[in-house]
Amino acid sequence: MNSSVVISGVGLWTPENSISNEELVESYNAWAEHFNQQNQATIEAGELAAKPLSSPAFIEKASGIKSRYVYSKEGVLDIHRMRPLLEIRDDGQVSHQAEMAIAAAKKALTAANKTAADIDMVIVSCAYTQRSYPAIAIEVQAALGIEGFGFDMLVACSAATFGLERAVDAIKCGTSKGVLVINPELTSPQVNFMDRDSHFIFGDVATAVVVESSESCTSAHAFDVVSTKCVTSYSNNIRSNFGYTTRVTDEDPYAADKLFHQNGRKVFKEVCPMAADHIETHLRSNDIQVVDLKRWWLHQANINMNLLISKRLLGRDATLEEAPIVLDEYANTASAGSIIAFAKHHEDLAAGDIGVICSFGAGYSIGSLILKKR
């Protein structure tokens, strides 16, 4: 192909409900105090650890997060429930996750000046899907009236960049004329709201990106995909063991290990240098210097990780214009974080400006795309 592959549109759908650190801490601390009271004798006997209290200052210092959006706020702050409450939908209704995906996809199609007729491939790539089959992507495809095919892809926090690489490859080799890569991150059902060290980390959101050939692109803000790079290296330091086999192992399907859990210190120590090396190697292989980058759309998991990665590459602290932060408002939205940053901070770039989208997370998995504004 003589034409290039472009990202021609991006869509961001944000839930109506938000929970501040103050709200979350008030609920968690009330639950922890109740737990400690109910188990006072066992705790005093040294047979059970007391639940530690939290504070908004602790959360912000540890992560940079100040609030998060949730698909359903009901139940999250109830100390007798401590998890979201979603209404049951029957098989004939649109699933919760598909609803999120459709909303983001419509925004991306509008931004790209495209209709369903221009798309023939749908990838739903995210950290969790709410069912095994039929694929959420096929449900979304049907709801949007797209002819072609769709499939789900699960690569934890790197799912968006891995999905985009697959889309770029499909356009390059001519197996697709237009691809929707959608990231409906419904993370709150997998959050352990009774764990002080992780209950604040995640938020819900949906993002979507249109990928197509430059020959068919008509959008106002399009980016040539200069290069893509993905890598994985197996690690147990970020994990969720929820799965269908709990039915036959007779385990508690909602025990703590079945929800999100991590060894945060090891993740920080190991992933930061991996991500920095990945970006530097990717740029070098395309004869691009770090100083040539106008924008860094980094994974939004932890502000301290982003600061360390950008400082290692730049030799100084990155400005918010260079490496925008959205996790203070959105928290960690799994694979969608770097795409949120891109959605909110791309229209100001001039033709020829270069930026990189990079995500990193469980697996370990790291994905990056080098983009140039058209």
Side-chain angles (χ1 to χ4, degrees):
M1 291 179 61
N2 294 322
S3 59
S4 59
V5 180
V6 302
I7 287 177
S8 58
V10 58
L12 167 63
W13 176 82
T14 302
E16 295 179 359
N17 305 301
S18 178
I19 298 177
S20 67
N21 285 350
E22 289 73 17
E23 290 177 285
L24 199 64
V25 166
E26 182 180 1
S27 170
Y28 168 79
N29 283 350
W31 172 83
E33 289 171 347
H34 178 74
F35 177 92
N36 292 341
Q37 275 186 343
Q38 293 292 102
N39 296 278
Q40 183 176 356
T42 311
I43 292 170
E44 289 177 352
E47 299 171 4
L48 183 68
K51 297 298 181 183
L53 300 184
S54 187
S55 71
F58 162 76
I59 293 174
E60 189 170 347
K61 182 179 180 180
S63 65
I65 295 168
K66 298 178 181 179
S67 64
R68 72 283 301 141
Y69 293 97
V70 287
Y71 183 72
S72 174
K73 189 171 182 176
E74 185 178 359
V76 174
L77 304 178
D78 180 353
I79 68 168
H80 301 294
R81 181 177 176 84
M82 301 295 280
R83 63 188 187 278
L85 177 64
L86 300 183
E87 79 276 10
I88 297 173
R89 294 183 176 178
D90 63 40
D91 291 353
Q93 294 176 287
V94 174
S95 66
H96 295 288
Q97 199 167 28
E99 180 182 86
M100 298 169 62
I102 292 163
K106 288 179 177 179
K107 291 176 178 288
L109 288 170
T110 298
N113 289 327
K114 290 288 178 282
T115 68
D118 300 307
I119 305 296
D120 54 10
M121 182 175 176
V122 177
I123 304 174
V124 165
S125 51
C126 49
Y128 304 98
T129 52
Q130 71 177 86
R131 63 168 185 264
S132 297
Y133 49 83
I136 303 295
I138 301 175
E139 182 182 8
V140 172
Q141 175 196 350
L144 293 173
I146 293 171
E147 294 184 4
F149 67 100
F151 59 90
D152 295 344
M153 175 184 287
L154 304 180
V155 201
C157 289
S158 294
T161 49
F162 277 55
L164 285 169
E165 183 182 59
R166 177 66 186 89
V168 169
D169 289 345
I171 299 297
K172 279 183 177 179
C173 67
T175 58
S176 179
K177 63 180 179 180
V179 186
L180 259 174
V181 180
I182 315 172
N183 324 111
E185 290 293 6
L186 183 57
T187 64
S188 55
Q190 268 280 308
V191 173
N192 185 351
F193 288 100
M194 295 179 286
D195 176 31
R196 187 200 69 155
D197 293 333
S198 68
H199 74 124
F200 58 86
I201 292 178
F202 288 101
D204 299 329
V205 79
T207 54
V209 176
V210 174
V211 181
E212 61 177 313
S213 166
S214 61
E215 293 179 345
S216 59
C217 177
T218 62
S219 65
H221 299 282
F223 288 77
D224 287 315
V225 180
V226 177
S227 177
T228 65
K229 180 179 176 64
C230 294
V231 66
T232 53
S233 178
Y234 187 67
S235 168
N236 272 316
N237 288 326
I238 310 171
R239 195 172 177 100
S240 169
N241 291 324
F242 182 80
Y244 73 98
T245 58
T246 54
R247 178 175 180 267
V248 294
T249 56
D250 296 335
E251 299 171 273
D252 177 359
Y254 308 113
D257 79 296
K258 305 300 186 292
L259 305 176
F260 165 84
H261 56 285
Q262 68 171 349
N263 186 327
R265 286 190 174 88
K266 278 194 172 182
V267 171
F268 189 95
K269 183 179 179 179
E270 294 172 1
V271 170
C272 287
M274 285 177 62
D277 290 344
H278 177 95
I279 293 171
E280 190 170 28
T281 301
H282 192 189
L283 293 173
R284 191 186 310 119
S285 67
N286 287 275
D287 296 322
I288 297 171
Q289 302 298 314
V290 170
V291 293
D292 295 333
L293 288 188
K294 182 73 173 181
R295 188 72 34 91
W296 306 70
W297 300 289
L298 297 178
H299 176 49
Q300 303 285 311
N302 183 297
I303 193 170
N304 299 307
M305 293 182 76
N306 286 21
L307 291 173
L308 182 59
I309 290 167
S310 57
K311 188 169 186 176
R312 174 166 174 161
L313 290 166
L314 290 168
R316 58 172 174 80
D317 291 334
T319 66
L320 289 177
E321 180 182 6
E322 290 171 316
I325 297 294
V326 299
L327 63 84
D328 55 341
E329 176 185 357
Y330 283 85
N332 183 342
T333 53
S335 74
S338 58
I339 308 302
I340 299 172
F342 177 72
K344 286 180 166 288
H345 301 278
H346 73 280
E347 293 186 358
D348 63 313
L349 296 185
D353 282 346
I354 300 172
V356 63
I357 296 175
C358 184
S359 60
F360 34 88
Y364 295 130
S365 56
I366 305 177
S368 57
L369 292 90
I370 301 173
L371 306 180
K372 179 183 287 188
K373 183 72 178 288
R374 292 179 63 81

Short mmCIF file of all heavy atoms in Angstrom, two decimals, residues 13-14 36 51 53 60 97 101 111 140 152 170 179 184 213 247 253 258 270 296 313-314 338 344-345 364 372:
data_model
loop_
_atom_site.label_atom_id
_atom_site.label_comp_id
_atom_site.label_asym_id
_atom_site.label_seq_id
_atom_site.Cartn_x
_atom_site.Cartn_y
_atom_site.Cartn_z
N TRP A 13 -16.56 8.39 26.28
CA TRP A 13 -17.82 8.40 27.02
C TRP A 13 -17.53 8.30 28.50
O TRP A 13 -16.83 7.39 28.94
CB TRP A 13 -18.72 7.23 26.60
CG TRP A 13 -19.99 7.18 27.42
CD1 TRP A 13 -21.12 7.90 27.23
CD2 TRP A 13 -20.23 6.37 28.58
NE1 TRP A 13 -22.07 7.61 28.19
CE2 TRP A 13 -21.54 6.67 29.04
CE3 TRP A 13 -19.46 5.44 29.29
CZ2 TRP A 13 -22.09 6.05 30.16
CZ3 TRP A 13 -20.01 4.82 30.41
CH2 TRP A 13 -21.31 5.13 30.83
N THR A 14 -18.05 9.27 29.26
CA THR A 14 -17.81 9.34 30.69
C THR A 14 -19.11 9.10 31.45
O THR A 14 -20.12 9.75 31.16
CB THR A 14 -17.25 10.74 31.07
OG1 THR A 14 -16.04 10.97 30.33
CG2 THR A 14 -16.96 10.82 32.56
N ASN A 36 -13.74 -3.97 62.58
CA ASN A 36 -12.87 -4.10 63.74
C ASN A 36 -13.68 -4.27 65.03
O ASN A 36 -13.27 -5.01 65.94
CB ASN A 36 -11.95 -2.89 63.85
CG ASN A 36 -10.92 -2.84 62.73
OD1 ASN A 36 -10.64 -3.85 62.07
ND2 ASN A 36 -10.36 -1.66 62.48
N LYS A 51 -8.43 -3.95 60.36
CA LYS A 51 -8.43 -3.23 59.09
C LYS A 51 -7.90 -1.82 59.31
O LYS A 51 -8.38 -1.08 60.18
CB LYS A 51 -9.84 -3.18 58.51
CG LYS A 51 -10.43 -4.55 58.17
CD LYS A 51 -9.63 -5.27 57.11
CE LYS A 51 -10.24 -6.62 56.78
NZ LYS A 51 -9.44 -7.36 55.78
N LEU A 53 -7.20 2.20 58.66
CA LEU A 53 -8.00 3.30 58.14
C LEU A 53 -7.25 4.00 57.01
O LEU A 53 -6.04 3.85 56.85
CB LEU A 53 -8.35 4.29 59.25
CG LEU A 53 -9.16 3.72 60.42
CD1 LEU A 53 -9.51 4.84 61.40
CD2 LEU A 53 -10.41 3.00 59.94
N GLU A 60 -4.15 10.39 47.48
CA GLU A 60 -3.59 11.31 46.50
C GLU A 60 -2.06 11.22 46.46
O GLU A 60 -1.46 11.27 45.38
CB GLU A 60 -4.02 12.74 46.81
CG GLU A 60 -3.66 13.71 45.71
CD GLU A 60 -4.28 15.08 45.88
OE1 GLU A 60 -5.20 15.23 46.71
OE2 GLU A 60 -3.85 16.01 45.18
N GLN A 97 -21.98 -3.42 29.36
CA GLN A 97 -20.70 -3.08 28.74
C GLN A 97 -20.88 -2.67 27.29
O GLN A 97 -20.20 -1.74 26.81
CB GLN A 97 -19.74 -4.26 28.86
CG GLN A 97 -18.29 -3.88 28.67
CD GLN A 97 -17.35 -4.98 29.10
OE1 GLN A 97 -17.69 -6.16 29.06
NE2 GLN A 97 -16.15 -4.62 29.52
N ALA A 101 -19.83 0.81 25.31
CA ALA A 101 -19.05 0.73 24.08
C ALA A 101 -19.74 1.47 22.93
O ALA A 101 -19.10 2.19 22.15
CB ALA A 101 -18.81 -0.72 23.70
N ALA A 111 -16.43 11.93 15.10
CA ALA A 111 -15.15 12.63 14.99
C ALA A 111 -14.40 12.28 13.72
O ALA A 111 -13.69 13.11 13.14
CB ALA A 111 -14.28 12.32 16.21
N VAL A 140 -21.97 -5.18 19.89
CA VAL A 140 -21.80 -3.77 19.51
C VAL A 140 -21.93 -3.62 17.99
O VAL A 140 -22.57 -2.68 17.49
CB VAL A 140 -20.45 -3.24 20.00
CG1 VAL A 140 -20.17 -1.84 19.45
CG2 VAL A 140 -20.40 -3.24 21.52
N ASP A 152 -13.52 -9.89 20.76
CA ASP A 152 -13.03 -9.30 22.00
C ASP A 152 -11.55 -9.63 22.17
O ASP A 152 -11.07 -10.66 21.71
CB ASP A 152 -13.80 -9.84 23.20
CG ASP A 152 -15.26 -9.44 23.20
OD1 ASP A 152 -15.63 -8.52 22.45
OD2 ASP A 152 -16.04 -10.06 23.96
N ALA A 170 -4.54 -4.77 10.12
CA ALA A 170 -5.66 -5.12 9.24
C ALA A 170 -5.80 -4.13 8.10
O ALA A 170 -6.08 -4.51 6.95
CB ALA A 170 -6.96 -5.20 10.03
N VAL A 179 -11.69 0.22 10.95
CA VAL A 179 -11.77 -0.55 12.19
C VAL A 179 -12.17 0.36 13.34
O VAL A 179 -11.65 1.48 13.48
CB VAL A 179 -10.42 -1.22 12.53
CG1 VAL A 179 -10.57 -2.13 13.74
CG2 VAL A 179 -9.87 -2.00 11.34
N PRO A 184 -14.42 -0.46 26.48
CA PRO A 184 -15.42 -0.22 27.51
C PRO A 184 -14.95 -0.78 28.85
O PRO A 184 -15.13 -1.95 29.16
CB PRO A 184 -16.65 -0.99 26.99
CG PRO A 184 -16.06 -2.13 26.22
CD PRO A 184 -14.73 -1.67 25.69
N SER A 213 -7.44 3.90 6.30
CA SER A 213 -6.40 4.32 5.37
C SER A 213 -6.45 5.83 5.20
O SER A 213 -7.52 6.45 5.26
CB SER A 213 -6.61 3.64 4.02
OG SER A 213 -5.82 4.27 3.01
N ARG A 247 -16.37 -22.92 39.71
CA ARG A 247 -17.54 -23.80 39.85
C ARG A 247 -17.12 -25.23 40.17
O ARG A 247 -17.83 -25.95 40.89
CB ARG A 247 -18.37 -23.77 38.55
CG ARG A 247 -19.59 -24.70 38.56
CD ARG A 247 -20.41 -24.49 37.30
NE ARG A 247 -21.57 -25.38 37.30
CZ ARG A 247 -21.60 -26.59 36.73
NH1 ARG A 247 -20.53 -27.05 36.11
NH2 ARG A 247 -22.69 -27.32 36.78
N PRO A 253 -16.18 -17.77 44.58
CA PRO A 253 -15.90 -17.06 43.32
C PRO A 253 -15.65 -15.57 43.50
O PRO A 253 -15.19 -14.91 42.57
CB PRO A 253 -17.17 -17.31 42.50
CG PRO A 253 -18.23 -17.56 43.51
CD PRO A 253 -17.56 -18.27 44.64
N LYS A 258 -9.90 -13.36 43.75
CA LYS A 258 -10.67 -13.37 42.51
C LYS A 258 -10.93 -11.96 41.99
O LYS A 258 -11.41 -11.76 40.88
CB LYS A 258 -12.00 -14.10 42.70
CG LYS A 258 -11.85 -15.52 43.25
CD LYS A 258 -11.02 -16.41 42.33
CE LYS A 258 -11.00 -17.85 42.80
NZ LYS A 258 -10.26 -18.04 44.07
N GLU A 270 9.49 -2.64 38.71
CA GLU A 270 9.79 -3.41 37.50
C GLU A 270 9.22 -2.79 36.23
O GLU A 270 9.87 -2.82 35.16
CB GLU A 270 9.27 -4.83 37.66
CG GLU A 270 9.98 -5.61 38.76
CD GLU A 270 9.37 -6.96 39.07
OE1 GLU A 270 8.37 -7.33 38.41
OE2 GLU A 270 9.87 -7.64 39.98
N TRP A 296 3.18 13.11 25.04
CA TRP A 296 3.23 11.76 25.61
C TRP A 296 1.85 11.42 26.17
O TRP A 296 1.42 12.01 27.16
CB TRP A 296 4.24 11.68 26.75
CG TRP A 296 5.62 12.16 26.42
CD1 TRP A 296 6.01 13.44 26.20
CD2 TRP A 296 6.79 11.36 26.31
NE1 TRP A 296 7.36 13.50 25.95
CE2 TRP A 296 7.87 12.23 26.01
CE3 TRP A 296 7.05 10.00 26.44
CZ2 TRP A 296 9.17 11.79 25.83
CZ3 TRP A 296 8.35 9.55 26.26
CH2 TRP A 296 9.39 10.44 25.96
N LEU A 313 13.28 9.45 30.63
CA LEU A 313 13.47 9.64 29.19
C LEU A 313 13.93 11.05 28.85
O LEU A 313 14.77 11.24 27.97
CB LEU A 313 12.15 9.34 28.46
CG LEU A 313 11.74 7.86 28.44
CD1 LEU A 313 10.30 7.71 28.00
CD2 LEU A 313 12.65 7.08 27.51
N LEU A 314 13.37 12.05 29.54
CA LEU A 314 13.68 13.44 29.21
C LEU A 314 14.86 13.99 30.00
O LEU A 314 15.45 15.00 29.60
CB LEU A 314 12.45 14.33 29.47
CG LEU A 314 11.26 14.16 28.53
CD1 LEU A 314 10.04 14.89 29.09
CD2 LEU A 314 11.60 14.68 27.15
N SER A 338 -4.64 5.90 28.50
CA SER A 338 -3.84 6.63 27.50
C SER A 338 -4.73 7.18 26.39
O SER A 338 -4.42 8.22 25.80
CB SER A 338 -2.76 5.72 26.92
OG SER A 338 -3.32 4.56 26.34
N LYS A 344 -8.47 13.95 24.98
CA LYS A 344 -8.56 15.29 25.56
C LYS A 344 -7.43 16.22 25.13
O LYS A 344 -7.55 17.44 25.27
CB LYS A 344 -8.58 15.19 27.09
CG LYS A 344 -9.90 14.68 27.67
CD LYS A 344 -9.83 14.63 29.19
CE LYS A 344 -11.21 14.47 29.81
NZ LYS A 344 -12.03 15.68 29.72
N HIS A 345 -6.35 15.64 24.61
CA HIS A 345 -5.16 16.47 24.34
C HIS A 345 -4.52 16.10 23.01
O HIS A 345 -3.38 15.64 22.97
CB HIS A 345 -4.16 16.31 25.48
CG HIS A 345 -4.67 16.70 26.82
ND1 HIS A 345 -4.72 18.00 27.26
CD2 HIS A 345 -5.20 15.93 27.83
CE1 HIS A 345 -5.24 18.04 28.48
NE2 HIS A 345 -5.53 16.81 28.84
N TYR A 364 3.47 -9.07 32.38
CA TYR A 364 3.38 -7.67 32.04
C TYR A 364 3.15 -7.48 30.54
O TYR A 364 3.62 -8.31 29.73
CB TYR A 364 4.66 -6.92 32.43
CG TYR A 364 4.95 -6.84 33.90
CD1 TYR A 364 6.20 -7.19 34.41
CD2 TYR A 364 3.97 -6.40 34.81
CE1 TYR A 364 6.48 -7.11 35.77
CE2 TYR A 364 4.25 -6.31 36.16
CZ TYR A 364 5.49 -6.67 36.64
OH TYR A 364 5.77 -6.59 37.99
N LYS A 372 1.94 10.80 14.06
CA LYS A 372 2.33 12.11 13.53
C LYS A 372 1.06 12.82 13.03
O LYS A 372 0.31 12.28 12.23
CB LYS A 372 3.32 11.97 12.38
CG LYS A 372 3.74 13.31 11.77
CD LYS A 372 4.68 13.14 10.58
CE LYS A 372 6.06 12.71 11.04
NZ LYS A 372 7.03 12.72 9.90
#
